[in-house]
Amino acid sequence: MAQVIWETAPDAHDYPAANSYLSLLVADEALRMHLVAQLQAAPVVHYKAKDLLRASQLALLTADNVHVAADLRKIRKSRALSPVLLVRGDLLRGFPLQIADGYHRICASYYVNENTDITCRMIDLPGAVRAGGAAKTAAPAKKVAKKVAKKAAKKAAPAKKAAPAKKAAPAKKVAAPAVARAPGPEAATESGSTSA
């Protein structure tokens, strides 16, 4: 049976592919670029093919899938595969592992042996809760997360309420102006004039 061989670093084109995939999940371009930069600097780790599929909650692609078949040919020819790029899931918040690039390579490796150790680069999301319950992320990730949260808070904040109107002072009573009345019959008798 063939053995899966892994390169020591991902191929250059894997990072733009990861960025493209993450653009479906992360709208903020600055945060997305930060995640890709973290993937480039992340240390190499190893996980079994079966565990990566389970944690990502993705189905195993068929062996006749074009990309899986191409990777199976590479494995048979003893050509090295590029490590996969991962964003760790969060069990407490219900987020599965995200395979930013390399889904088909994981599936091809699974067909060789489900216990194949897959070479990966994995990062955590900014603000992810780690062991001990404390958020342990790199300082730049915290800064980016704060900026993103601040932008979101501004967008979500309700409009400022206008100050309540001051109560109007009670109106002063003003004497009604005297109304001139037309002279009536009483006025004629009082003046002593008689009608002829």
Side-chain angles (χ1 to χ4, degrees):
M1 179 178 275
Q3 184 179 1
V4 184
I5 302 167
W6 295 96
E7 295 174 2
T8 56
D11 295 335
H13 64 84
D14 292 344
Y15 296 107
N19 183 41
S20 177
Y21 172 76
L22 291 172
S23 72
L24 299 170
L25 304 171
V26 180
D28 186 292
E29 186 177 0
L31 177 57
R32 193 170 62 249
M33 297 307 285
H34 178 74
L35 293 173
V36 172
Q38 279 189 306
L39 283 167
Q40 290 172 321
V44 171
V45 292
H46 297 87
Y47 289 96
K48 298 198 178 308
K50 64 182 181 184
D51 293 335
L52 291 174
L53 286 174
R54 288 170 59 204
S56 67
Q57 299 178 1
L58 294 172
L60 176 66
L61 295 171
T62 61
D64 61 354
N65 172 284
V66 174
H67 300 291
V68 175
D71 285 329
L72 285 169
R73 281 192 298 276
K74 284 182 183 177
I75 292 168
R76 282 192 296 274
K77 294 178 181 178
S78 297
R79 291 176 48 203
L81 300 180
S82 180
V84 300
L85 303 174
L86 308 171
V87 179
R88 189 187 309 272
D90 188 332
L91 183 64
L92 298 178
R93 292 190 284 173
F95 300 144
L97 170 76
Q98 294 299 312
I99 302 171
D101 186 67
Y103 179 27
H104 51 276
R105 296 190 292 278
I106 293 170
C107 293
S109 299
Y110 184 95
Y111 282 112
V112 172
N113 183 343
E114 68 180 26
N115 291 311
T116 297
D117 277 329
I118 295 182
T119 302
C120 314
R121 287 198 178 181
M122 182 164 55
I123 61 168
D124 293 316
L125 285 173
V129 176
R130 303 264 316 264
K136 297 180 181 179
T137 56
K142 284 184 181 178
K143 286 181 185 176
V144 172
K146 274 187 179 179
K147 275 186 182 178
V148 171
K150 200 172 187 179
K151 280 184 186 177
K154 280 184 182 178
K155 287 181 183 177
K160 289 185 178 179
K161 292 182 182 177
K166 293 183 180 178
K167 290 185 180 179
K172 292 181 181 177
K173 290 186 180 180
V174 178
V179 178
R181 295 187 339 189
E186 301 93 27
T189 47
E190 286 178 10
S191 62
S193 55
T194 56
S195 54

